Amino acid sequence: MITDTLNNFIHNIPKAELHVHIEGTFEPELLFEIAQRNNIQIKHKSAEELKNAYNFNNLQEFLDIYYEGADVLLHEQDFYDLTFAYLQKCQSENIVHTEIFFDPQTHTQRGVSFKTLITGINKALIDGFKKWGITSRLIPNFLRHLSEEDAIKMFKEALEFRELITGFGLDSSELGHPPAKFKKVFQMVGEEGFLRVAHAGEEGPAQNVSDSLRLLKVSRIDHGVRSVDDKLLLKELVEKQIPLTVCPLSNLKLKVVKEMKDLPLQILLDHNILATINSDDPAYFGGYLNENYRAVAETFKWSEAEILTLAENSFKASFLANEDKNKWLGELRNNGYRSFANGVSKITIGQ
Ligand code: HPA
Ligand code: ZN
C-alpha cells in the first residue's frame, strides 16, 4: 500500500498519457450497450462474463479478444462514445494531454470507413477540449500482422484527414513481424512530414528497438522494456533522448514480466532515459493511468520525487509544441510539486 499523501500526489499532479489504444479503453459495459444497439450478438452473456475472460498468457491471446470487442463499433456515434468515455477518465485522473492510438485497419476491413471512425473520435476530442481543456494528438497504427501493402493502403486513406493526424505507429503481434517489414511505409510517413513511433521490445527482442530506430526512423518507442538487454542501445536512448512509453499493468497482464518488480523501470530512470508511465489498454488490464503510477510506486518503493520525474517525462516525451511542454513543466515547478517531492515544504498541492 502507498500512503494517502503519495496517492493524492499521483492523483493531483497534471500528467500526459502517451500510449493508449482507444479500442483498449472499451469497457465491457459500454461494449455491451453498443453491441445491443447495433444488433450484434457477442459470445459472452454479460459484461461480467466478458470481464472474466480477461486472463491472458501472452500478447496474442489479448489481441484476439481485443479485436473481437472492437468488432461491435460500426457508427460514428460508437467511436464518439468510446472516445468520450476515455476523456471522462482523463478528466477524473488529471490527465491534461493524451496521445491516442487507434487501429484503422481493424475497422476498415469490416467495412467501416476511415471517415466514420476518425470523425467520431475527433468530435469527442473537440468536446473533451471544450469541456475540460484536455489536449490530444491522434496516431493511427499499422497492424503488423497484416501486409505492408495493406499498411500503405491505410496510409493513403489517412492522408485525406492529415490535419487530424500527428504521426503513425505500429502495433499488434510483434513476434514474427519485425520492423523491417514496414520500412517502405514508414519512409512514406516521414516524407509526408508525420512523426513516427512503433511498438518494439515488448515481447520481441532489443533488436526490434534498434531496428525501429534505424529502419523506421521512429522518434519514440512504445514499450521498449527489452532495451535493457543491450547496453549500447541504452546509451543511444539516453544520448538521443528517445522516450519509452512503458505500460506496467499491461506488461504484467500479458506476462511480458512475471512480476512487476521485474520491470526495468528503476534501471531506466537511473540511466536518465525518458521513461514514461502509460495504460495501453486500460479496460483490459485492470487500471487506468493513475493505477499504473500507484502500482509502480508501490513496487519500487518510490516517493513523490520519482512520480514527479515520470510526470515531467510525460510532457518532455510528448508531441506537444515546446511552448505547451514548457507551460506544463513550469506548472509542475511553480506549483510547488518539486519542493513538495523533495520534502522541502508541506504545501497543499493541486489547488
Ligand atoms: N502491443 C501490441 N499491439 C497492441 C497492444 C500492445 O500492447 N495493445 C493494443 N494493440
Ligand atoms: Zn500498445
Side-chain angles (χ1 to χ4, degrees):
M1 279 287 285
I2 59 170
T3 64
D4 285 348
T5 319
L6 183 55
N7 194 14
N8 289 339
F9 189 86
I10 289 170
H11 173 80
N12 285 330
I13 195 166
K15 295 160 290 270
E17 172 144 72
L18 308 179
H19 183 160
V20 59
H21 302 258
I22 203 63
E23 297 89 346
T25 69
F26 206 178
E27 289 291 342
E29 291 77 14
L30 182 61
L31 197 154
F32 262 78
E33 190 186 313
I34 292 181
Q36 235 161 28
R37 77 184 185 211
N38 288 343
N39 281 320
I40 294 173
Q41 198 65 38
I42 34 187
K43 269 201 285 194
H44 300 88
K45 284 195 192 67
S46 64
E48 205 52 45
E49 199 184 298
L50 181 58
K51 250 185 257 183
N52 289 337
Y54 293 174
N55 283 307
F56 315 110
N57 288 305
N58 51 47
L59 172 60
Q60 195 57 52
E61 285 188 15
F62 155 69
L63 289 172
D64 292 343
I65 286 194
Y66 159 88
Y67 293 131
E68 214 174 278
D71 280 355
V72 310
L73 298 161
L74 295 183
H75 308 294
E76 187 185 301
Q77 187 67 41
D78 304 341
F79 289 92
Y80 178 96
D81 291 348
L82 173 66
T83 309
F84 196 75
Y86 165 65
L87 292 170
Q88 276 176 316
K89 288 279 186 194
C90 290
Q91 196 271 337
S92 73
E93 298 212 337
N94 290 313
I95 299 169
V96 296
H97 174 72
T98 178
E99 307 197 344
I100 298 176
F101 292 140
F102 61 110
D103 290 335
Q105 290 156 290
T106 300
H107 312 297
T108 53
Q109 67 183 3
R110 297 182 290 113
V112 176
S113 75
F114 198 106
K115 182 176 181 195
T116 295
L117 62 105
I118 200 166
T119 306
I121 294 171
N122 186 52
K123 282 186 179 169
L125 295 179
I126 292 170
D127 286 352
F129 178 72
K130 279 194 200 148
K131 216 168 152 75
W132 299 303
I134 298 169
T135 54
S136 59
R137 297 286 185 272
L138 272 184
I139 305 176
N141 276 344
F142 303 118
L143 295 180
R144 64 202 311 159
H145 64 273
L146 301 179
S147 69
E148 185 176 51
E149 225 174 42
D150 243 68
I152 292 172
K153 186 165 161 267
M154 185 275 262
F155 177 61
K156 288 184 174 162
E157 279 168 8
L159 285 177
E160 195 185 326
F161 305 93
R162 62 182 310 149
E163 73 282 1
L164 303 180
I165 294 170
T166 297
F168 286 80
L170 186 62
D171 70 359
S172 182
S173 327
E174 188 179 0
L175 298 175
H177 303 284
K181 180 176 165 187
F182 296 94
K183 192 165 176 250
K184 197 160 105 195
V185 70
F186 269 74
Q187 188 178 336
M188 293 168 77
V189 167
E191 281 167 3
E192 289 290 342
F194 296 101
L195 292 162
R196 289 168 277 197
V197 297
H199 283 55
E202 179 186 16
E203 278 194 341
Q207 186 66 44
N208 279 359
V209 176
S210 306
D211 287 351
S212 299
L213 295 173
R214 241 165 299 292
L215 303 176
L216 308 184
K217 309 229 171 353
V218 300
S219 56
R220 201 163 72 194
I221 294 285
D222 296 311
H223 293 293
V225 287
R226 293 269 51 90
S227 303
V228 291
D229 299 338
D230 179 343
K231 287 244 155 51
L232 276 180
L233 173 60
L234 279 187
K235 196 160 169 271
E236 183 178 356
L237 295 175
V238 179
E239 279 170 8
K240 298 189 177 153
Q241 286 289 284
I242 305 281
L244 302 183
T245 63
V246 179
C247 307
L249 288 174
S250 165
N251 290 162
L252 189 65
K253 270 285 196 180
L254 301 187
K255 302 196 166 45
V256 166
V257 288
K258 248 206 206 119
E259 294 179 71
M260 190 69 88
K261 70 175 173 49
D262 301 330
L263 271 181
L265 275 165
Q266 190 67 59
I267 301 173
L268 295 174
L269 289 190
D270 290 346
H271 278 78
N272 285 322
I273 284 169
L274 266 184
T276 63
I277 299 294
N278 307 273
S279 71
D280 206 5
D281 303 284
Y284 292 88
F285 300 150
Y288 282 77
L289 186 58
N290 288 352
E291 194 58 37
N292 278 272
Y293 272 90
R294 282 193 286 270
V296 292
E298 179 166 5
T299 301
F300 297 103
K301 311 266 183 287
W302 282 344
S303 67
E304 287 80 357
E306 287 88 357
I307 300 303
L308 178 60
T309 299
L310 289 164
E312 284 173 343
N313 285 355
S314 77
F315 293 108
K316 288 180 187 166
S318 74
F319 292 146
L320 282 165
N322 280 339
E323 189 188 333
D324 295 316
K325 281 187 194 186
N326 290 335
K327 183 190 91 175
W328 286 115
L329 291 170
E331 172 114 347
L332 293 181
R333 262 193 304 275
N334 299 334
N335 275 3
Y337 289 101
R338 176 53 79 187
S339 51
F340 182 83
N342 290 343
V344 173
S345 64
K346 292 252 179 271
I347 55 160
T348 315
I349 53 166
Q351 305 273 310

